[in-house]
Amino acid sequence: MSEDYAHGRRDGLRLALAILAAEEARWAALLGESKSWRTNATRSIRHKALQVAQQRVQTALNRLAPKDDAALTAELDAALKKLGL
């Protein structure tokens, strides 16, 4: 696997992680807000599913991360600068 391809896969996983985090926050705000127990149960299940998905994507990202700490730090710094953080 070429380094550019692996870098692109990691960027894609980071994007997926950010999207899942936003969705999880959205559903967390809605937990317990409805008068209907069925709606609350559905929201709780969706929230938990998003948490599990986040953990799975994070695990996949960790497996694809370079083993060299210097390369990982440089790549993470570049990604944070690109995002403006």
Side-chain angles (χ1 to χ4, degrees), residues 2 4 10 12-13 17 19 21 24 33 35 47 52 55 59 62 65 69 74 76 78:
S2 75
D4 287 340
R10 289 189 296 271
L13 287 172
L17 205 54
I19 292 169
E24 190 260 337
E33 292 292 316
K35 293 179 183 178
H47 182 253
V52 169
Q55 189 60 45
T59 300
N62 290 342
D69 285 339
L76 190 56

Side-chain angles (χ1 to χ4, degrees), residues 25-80:
R26 183 180 134 218
W27 285 104
L30 296 173
L31 289 177
E33 292 292 316
S34 177
K35 293 179 183 178
S36 169
W37 68 270
R38 205 171 269 156
T39 300
N40 287 331
T42 302
R43 288 176 179 173
S44 177
I45 291 168
R46 286 181 182 163
H47 182 253
K48 184 63 179 176
L50 287 168
Q51 288 176 332
V52 169
Q54 276 183 298
Q55 189 60 45
R56 288 182 179 176
V57 170
Q58 184 65 51
T59 300
L61 181 60
N62 290 342
R63 287 182 181 164
L64 290 175
K67 303 300 181 218
D68 181 15
D69 285 339
L72 179 63
T73 304
E75 184 178 318
L76 190 56
D77 287 341
L80 290 174

